[in-house]
């Protein structure tokens, strides 16, 4: 059907167009405890079409998009394309051009059945006890193929694996019982990392049962050792998106340091083409641009903007792309050297967020560890808050790195002077 849609687009009168055809073969398993409740196999296809139309003598470019079912008839597809051409006249964006540089894709198969099997076997190695065990889990393993075609001559196909495991664990004592939820995303199964993550979660559940109220400490150091830290690095990366810069949602500039009076480590972050076992190892981005390794920020100084072709065009950024994998360089100290003194170590939030515009962090604590020298106390309740725009001048990043799907980051980040509200 995709080739028929392309033929219709060529004859539609559209000034430019894009087609993305994504096929996914997926295996899914649903377990209660370790008992299989149900499973299914999916084989789905989604075809998205974008029609572009020049307006006001080429000053503007209108766009409209919609999915066309792979089972649609030629008449149905033509009607949708005609409607898109009309709808494109209602949108007036400053003119920009689509990617046109030739690119090469990768077309190979990944076995979702084997991926699912690897996850099922890994789950049997979780060290459960009578007090901490697995309530339920779900496995989603996918072999994905994405073909992108545009009116500028790009026609490229890429393939990649993607998998997700959702796990609910229980911890209980004589007085009460709690649940903790986790979701792990990767390319294929990383057994060692998965077993460690869930084993840590079981320990957190056990400690949560005996946690004391979080002490009131107006300002203190906070150490982030879990996947929540990724949102901190995402905030830095997103500040360098071309769309954020063009819309004046970021005031960061190439060559100008993002903060002054630095007391700790600086940030060096790169977009990378591949990370081992990432679910987003794309040699070509979603708009047909070649993906490569590229420095984004070096020692707190912005180096490159990245993002979609529209806003790159507006900023005059030519050789860039939509980045999906990121590597954050480690700092000067080891994790053991950073883990000294008095600090709070949150490992479980009811929610943790970083505001993309302001950099405000906020997290309600479900479980943390209050460190005072060698004394460690599990605590719960209260919150951590602060503004990254002020806090990033005094952070410590571990030498050791840890990967969370498409982010390779320091295993811990310690931030000074975070506001802590006690329980």
């Amino acid at each position: 059907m995709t080739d028929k849609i392309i033929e219709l687009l060529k004859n539609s009168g559209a000034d430019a167009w894009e087609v993305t055809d994504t096929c996914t073969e997926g295996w899914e398993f649903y377990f209660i405890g370790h008992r299989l409740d149900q499973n299914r196999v999916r084989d789905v296809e989604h075809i998205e079409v974008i029609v572009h139309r020049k307006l006001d003598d080429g000053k503007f470019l209108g766009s409209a998009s919609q999915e066309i079912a792979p089972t649609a008839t030629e008449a149905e597809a033509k009607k949708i394309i005609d409607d898109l051409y009309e709808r494109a006249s209602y949108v007036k964006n400053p003119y920009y051009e689509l990617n046109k540089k030739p690119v090469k894709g990768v077309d190979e198969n990944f076995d979702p059945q084997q991926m699912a099997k690897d996850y099922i076997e890994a789950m049997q190695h979780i060290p459960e006890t009578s007090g901490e065990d697995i309530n339920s889990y779900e496995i989603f393993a996918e072999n994905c193929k994405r073909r992108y075609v545009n009116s500028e001559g790009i026609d490229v196909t890429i393939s990649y694996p993607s998998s997700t495991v959702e796990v609910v664990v229980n911890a209980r004592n004589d007085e009460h019982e709690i649940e903790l939820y986790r979701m792990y995303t990767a390319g294929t199964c990383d057994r060692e990392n998965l077993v460690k993550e869930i084993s840590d979660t079981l320990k957190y559940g056990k400690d949560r049962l005996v946690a004391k109220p979080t002490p009131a400490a107006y300002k203190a150091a906070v150490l982030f050792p879990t996947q929540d830290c990724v949102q901190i690095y995402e905030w830095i990366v997103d500040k360098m998106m071309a769309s954020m810069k063009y819309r004046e949602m970021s005031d960061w500039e190439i060559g100008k340091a993002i903060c002054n009076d630095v007391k700790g480590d600086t940030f060096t972050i790169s977009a990378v083409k591949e990370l081992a076992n990432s679910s987003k190892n794309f040699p070509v981005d979603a708009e047909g641009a070649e993906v490569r390794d590229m420095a984004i920020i070096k020692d707190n100084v912005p180096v490159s903007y990245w993002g979609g072709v529209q806003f790159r065009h507006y900023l005059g950024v030519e050789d860039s792309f939509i980045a999906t994998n990121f590597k954050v360089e480690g700092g000067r100290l080891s994790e053991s050297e950073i883990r000294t003194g008095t600090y709070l170590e949150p490992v479980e939030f009811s929610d943790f967020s970083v505001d993309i515009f302001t950099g405000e962090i906020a997290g309600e604590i479900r479980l943390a560890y209050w460190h005072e020298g060698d004394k460690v106390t599990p605590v719960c309740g209260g919150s951590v808050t602060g503004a990254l725009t002020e806090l990033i001048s005094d952070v410590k990043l571990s030498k050791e790195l840890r990967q969370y799907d498409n982010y390779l980051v320091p295993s811990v980040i310690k931030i000074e002077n975070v506001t802590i509200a006690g329980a």
Side-chain angles (χ1 to χ4, degrees):
M1 186 61 191
T2 301
D3 290 334
K4 177 56 67 176
I5 290 172
I6 292 170
E7 182 181 337
L8 292 170
L9 285 165
K10 289 179 178 179
N11 298 320
S12 67
D15 294 296
W17 48 264
E18 302 170 78
V19 178
T20 303
D21 183 353
T22 304
C23 297
T24 304
E25 179 189 0
W27 283 61
E28 301 177 1
F29 291 83
Y30 303 82
F31 288 85
I32 297 175
H34 290 284
R35 179 179 61 83
L36 180 62
D37 183 55
Q38 60 176 305
N39 66 287
R40 65 176 181 174
V41 176
R42 291 183 294 111
D43 192 353
V44 297
E45 181 179 11
H46 294 277
I47 304 173
E48 183 184 26
V49 175
I50 305 176
V51 169
H52 302 281
R53 182 175 178 179
K54 292 180 181 178
L55 305 170
D56 294 357
D57 297 324
K59 294 180 181 178
F60 299 97
L61 190 68
S63 303
S65 64
Q66 185 173 326
E67 275 199 24
I68 297 179
T71 56
T73 65
E74 182 175 342
E76 290 170 336
K78 184 178 185 306
K79 183 181 185 306
I80 291 173
I81 291 170
D82 290 343
D83 288 344
L84 289 174
Y85 183 76
E86 174 63 25
R87 285 161 46 195
S89 65
Y90 305 147
V91 179
K92 285 189 175 183
N93 290 312
Y95 179 75
Y96 65 95
E97 296 180 353
L98 304 183
N99 289 311
K100 59 184 68 177
K101 181 181 177 180
V103 290
K104 292 183 179 180
V106 175
D107 190 1
E108 59 181 300
N109 285 310
F110 302 90
D111 186 355
Q113 181 180 6
Q114 182 61 50
M115 292 160 58
K117 179 182 178 182
D118 292 341
Y119 276 110
I120 293 170
E121 292 178 347
M123 294 299 294
Q124 312 309 310
H125 290 79
I126 306 301
E128 300 172 82
T129 71
S130 59
E132 306 88 43
D133 56 18
I134 294 172
N135 174 297
S136 57
Y137 61 97
E138 301 175 358
I139 296 171
F140 306 89
E142 298 178 340
N143 174 43
C144 307
K145 289 184 182 292
R146 185 180 74 204
R147 181 187 179 194
Y148 173 84
V149 188
N150 72 13
S151 52
E152 297 297 327
I154 293 178
D155 187 346
V156 62
T157 298
I158 67 169
S159 56
Y160 53 95
S162 178
S163 58
T164 301
V165 178
E166 297 184 63
V167 183
V168 176
V169 304
N170 284 84
R172 65 188 68 81
N173 58 21
D174 294 336
E175 297 178 1
H176 60 283
E177 181 174 351
I178 64 169
E179 287 185 350
L180 297 179
Y181 166 82
R182 288 290 188 274
M183 181 170 72
Y184 309 97
T185 303
T188 58
C189 177
D190 181 347
R191 174 183 294 190
E192 181 179 352
N193 184 60
L194 181 68
V195 172
K196 181 184 185 305
E197 287 278 353
I198 300 177
S199 299
D200 287 346
T201 304
L202 290 171
K203 176 183 179 299
Y204 297 155
K206 179 180 179 180
D207 291 342
R208 173 67 177 81
L209 294 170
V210 297
K212 301 180 181 301
T214 301
Y218 181 64
K219 297 281 188 180
V222 174
L223 183 144
F224 295 89
T226 68
Q227 189 169 358
D228 291 307
C229 73
V230 170
Q231 294 189 57
I232 296 170
Y233 303 115
E234 283 181 337
W235 174 74
I236 297 173
V237 165
D238 288 349
K239 294 284 278 187
M240 293 304 297
M241 287 180 65
S243 59
M244 290 281 286
K245 181 63 178 177
Y246 179 77
R247 290 167 168 161
E248 299 183 351
M249 296 175 181
S250 171
D251 58 358
W252 291 8
E253 298 178 9
I254 302 295
K256 183 177 179 181
I258 62 176
C259 62
N260 300 314
D261 302 321
V262 176
K263 301 181 183 67
D265 290 321
T266 57
F267 292 94
T268 294
I269 305 177
S270 299
V272 293
K273 182 176 180 179
E274 290 188 4
L275 278 179
N277 212 38
S278 167
S279 65
K280 299 184 178 182
N281 284 335
F282 308 147
V284 178
D285 75 9
E287 298 175 337
E290 182 181 13
V291 175
R292 57 183 173 83
D293 292 354
M294 179 180 72
I296 294 177
I297 185 168
K298 183 174 178 59
D299 292 328
N300 280 5
V301 178
V303 175
S304 306
Y305 294 117
W306 65 278
V309 65
Q310 177 181 2
F311 294 100
R312 296 202 322 265
H313 184 94
Y314 296 160
L315 294 182
V317 177
E318 296 181 0
D319 190 18
S320 191
F321 48 89
I322 301 172
T324 50
N325 290 324
F326 301 94
K327 180 181 179 181
V328 183
E329 299 296 333
R332 294 168 291 181
L333 302 176
S334 67
E335 180 174 337
S336 61
E337 290 174 310
I338 292 175
R339 287 180 171 277
T340 57
T342 299
Y343 61 93
L344 184 72
E345 180 185 4
V347 295
E348 187 76 21
F349 290 103
S350 59
D351 179 61
F352 180 76
S353 62
V354 179
D355 188 281
I356 190 173
F357 305 121
T358 66
E360 294 286 337
I361 64 172
E364 182 182 0
I365 300 167
R366 292 191 67 190
L367 175 67
Y369 297 98
W370 182 250
H371 295 257
E372 294 178 287
D374 294 332
K375 182 182 178 182
V376 182
T377 306
V379 297
C380 65
S383 63
V384 296
T385 56
L388 287 178
T389 50
E390 302 171 2
L391 298 174
I392 57 174
S393 63
D394 195 1
V395 303
K396 293 182 177 67
L397 307 173
S398 65
K399 290 180 180 179
E400 300 90 341
L401 302 181
R402 186 170 184 176
Q403 186 172 337
Y404 299 101
D405 189 18
N406 61 319
Y407 271 81
L408 182 62
V409 302
S411 58
V412 298
I413 174 173
K414 190 177 187 181
I415 305 179
E416 300 290 338
N417 297 313
V418 177
T419 300
I420 301 173

